[in-house]
């Protein structure tokens, strides 16, 4: 169970990191965001994210660390 908790925590961190990257390039509808963590077997865990995109940002500062 501890390993599953660690895996779930890591996937939640990954989800947040991915969302931060998407937000650099897209305006997203966070209220419509759907995230699913699946644990089918002890060694197989999946992360599925549905991100409603409102618009694509025209100018992106790739050096912006915010």
């Amino acid at each position: 169970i501890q390993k599953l908790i660690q895996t779930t925590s890591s996937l939640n961190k990954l989800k947040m990191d991915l969302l931060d990257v998407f937000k650099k390039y897209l305006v997203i509808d966070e209220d419509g965001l759907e995230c699913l963590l699946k644990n089918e077997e002890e060694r197989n865990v999946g992360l599925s994210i549905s991100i409603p995109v409102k618009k694509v940002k025209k100018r992106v500062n790739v050096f912006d660390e915010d």
Side-chain angles (χ1 to χ4, degrees):
I1 291 178
Q2 183 66 26
K3 187 172 183 177
L4 176 60
I5 291 170
Q6 289 174 338
T7 300
T8 302
S9 176
S10 293
L11 287 175
N12 280 323
K13 173 78 169 106
L14 174 62
K15 177 188 79 169
M16 298 309 294
D17 288 347
L18 289 171
L19 285 175
D20 287 341
V21 171
F22 285 122
K23 288 178 186 179
K24 287 184 178 185
Y25 302 94
L26 307 168
V27 176
I28 64 173
D29 176 11
E30 292 192 51
D31 292 331
L33 181 69
E34 294 181 23
C35 179
L36 177 63
L37 293 172
K38 291 195 322 187
N39 184 22
E40 295 175 357
E41 296 177 16
E42 187 175 313
R43 302 186 94 200
N44 294 330
V45 178
L47 172 65
S48 175
I49 303 175
S50 174
I51 304 170
V53 176
K54 291 183 175 181
K55 71 177 191 175
V56 176
K57 293 182 180 181
K58 297 204 184 276
R59 294 183 183 249
V60 177
N61 182 358
V62 295
F63 300 106
D64 187 11
E65 295 294 324
D66 295 327

